[in-house]
Amino acid sequence: MKSLSALPAALAVVLLSGCGADPAPAAAPQPSSPAAAQVPAGTPCGEVAGLQGAKNKVVARGKTDCAEATQVLTDYFAKLTPAEAASPQGPGPVVIGAWTCGSGPNDPVTSCSTEDERQIEATRS
């Protein structure tokens, strides 16, 4: 019976042996670099019709896919009024859902962005 009485003591030693050990160190945070914060160069997404049927090349940046980029710009050009298009400050800003789109006077690039930093562009071809 002596061997059975030693079993609980041996088990306690095994269980408690890890109590005094230092926990594994946490992984060090990755250093942030300027390259990690930059958005990709852009993904070409085809063309949409703009004012007076002008073709516009669509580019999606960051976390925006081509389907969303194309739809937002199609909606923007459909919603843009002639008065907004002729504005001396340039067309826009026009709100399309979470997006705000516009451009400067005589600027061939229309830019759209969201508060969470998604971006798309349309450039007249």
Side-chain angles (χ1 to χ4, degrees):
M1 283 301 224
K2 203 172 198 179
S3 63
L4 287 179
S5 64
L7 185 61
L11 183 60
V13 168
V14 170
L15 291 175
L16 295 175
S17 65
C19 287
D22 290 335
Q30 296 293 329
S32 62
S33 68
Q38 293 176 353
V39 294
T43 303
C45 297
E47 293 183 339
V48 296
L51 296 173
Q52 301 172 345
K55 292 184 179 183
N56 290 272
K57 294 179 183 177
V58 178
V59 175
R61 301 188 183 283
K63 297 178 183 178
T64 305
D65 64 24
C66 285
E68 182 177 31
T70 301
Q71 187 61 55
V72 168
L73 286 162
T74 298
D75 293 349
Y76 166 75
F77 288 119
K79 188 175 181 179
L80 191 63
T81 67
E84 289 169 325
S87 170
Q89 290 83 28
V94 175
V95 175
I96 307 293
W99 294 88
T100 302
C101 301
S103 62
N106 300 315
D107 190 348
V109 178
T110 297
S111 298
C112 302
S113 62
T114 63
E115 288 187 17
D116 63 356
E117 299 181 6
R118 293 178 288 157
Q119 297 180 337
I120 54 178
E121 293 178 351
T123 304
R124 280 192 298 268
S125 8

